[in-house]
Amino acid sequence: MDIEHKQLVQLLPLLPLLAELGRTEHVTETAELLGVPQSTVSRALARASAVVGTELLIREGRGVRLTPAARTLLPYIEAALAEFQAGLDVVRHESDVVRGRIAVTFQHTFGEATLPLLMSAFRSRHPSTAFELSQGARAACLELLIAGDADFALTAPVAAPGRNLDSAALYREPLRLVVHHRHPVARRPSVRLAELKHEPFVSMGPGFGLRSLTDAIFRDAGFRPRVAFESQDSHTIRGLVSAGLGYSILPPGGLGPGPQGVLDSTDLGWVEVSLDSELAYREIGITWRERRKEPDPVRLFRELVLSEGPGLLAGLVRARSGTQ
């Protein structure tokens, strides 16, 4: 360590005291303001003068007067302290971000992988951030967002931008025909929906994003399905299909090719088959409220989702849809 660096190390702890002395020009008042004994101020002043190599203060009765050398140093001392304070503010600001809370509402099918992937990426950088989660139908999710009870809504289809709302698409995945594993079309590579026109259909209930998508697919196919059951949960729908109670249209389950859910000593099981329809896909996106003053945790999560979300979720799409 060279001499100049040693001098700097010796001076650093004294900077706040020297800055206060320069303001008050009074040893006793400085000691009271800093909460230290008057003797501590006097000794610090002597040490600082010794390190600098010249007197910094001249005593005048009970007060002190800055020397020309001290007046030259004082602006630099104050600038150094201001820079350090700025650094403290950044650290405290980041700590506030880490302690923040983000409210996300989402459709049920995004709870298994989509949202956890995004949350995991964010928590790897801000591990103490809390997430408040709620799930439901697409319409209910958007209502929560509009009412101010959520910061983000993860939905499919993607909500259109509107008054005080903005949105972005994150990824697209195919919709599959789901049939009983012994269904005549179960081993086919692809099926036209019209081939199942007279069979019972197991549907999501009204208000769910998947319901609006399947309604559009059936309109494009030129017929209305014979709805046998409605459910609010895709797992229940797969169970009903597995029992041979109808067919359905769902996002990929991500379990690989071939029969799924088959139980020994039963006839339960389902198969996913590609659906021959240009509308057989769903686009997933995130919607948020536009605010004049957006909380930092919310802003940082939105920036991560928009910049890194599509890349993070690309692998999920490939795995769930069985593509490379």
Side-chain angles (χ1 to χ4, degrees), residues 14-75:
L14 308 178
L15 295 186
L17 187 148
L18 292 174
E20 196 60 44
L21 261 176
R23 188 183 68 81
T24 65
E25 298 196 8
H26 198 285
V27 173
T28 302
E29 185 178 348
T30 297
E32 291 176 351
L33 287 171
L34 297 178
V36 297
Q38 183 174 329
S39 59
T40 299
V41 177
S42 298
R43 287 196 298 270
L45 177 59
R47 288 199 304 273
S49 296
V51 172
V52 173
T54 185
E55 292 295 328
L56 299 177
L57 295 170
I58 300 173
R59 293 183 178 274
E60 290 186 339
R62 298 184 63 185
V64 293
R65 176 169 54 85
L66 296 177
T67 65
R71 293 189 182 281
T72 300
L73 279 177
L74 193 58

Side-chain angles (χ1 to χ4, degrees), residues 299-317:
R299 175 182 59 80
L300 290 173
F301 184 69
R302 176 176 53 80
E303 290 174 352
L304 179 141
V305 170
L306 296 184
S307 63
E308 301 181 31
L312 286 170
L313 298 168
L316 172 65
V317 176

Side-chain angles (χ1 to χ4, degrees), residues 214-233:
T214 55
D215 285 350
I217 292 173
F218 281 111
R219 283 195 298 270
D220 185 63
F223 70 96
R224 289 184 178 181
R226 183 162 64 87
V227 177
F229 302 96
E230 288 183 346
S231 176
Q232 299 181 355
D233 180 75

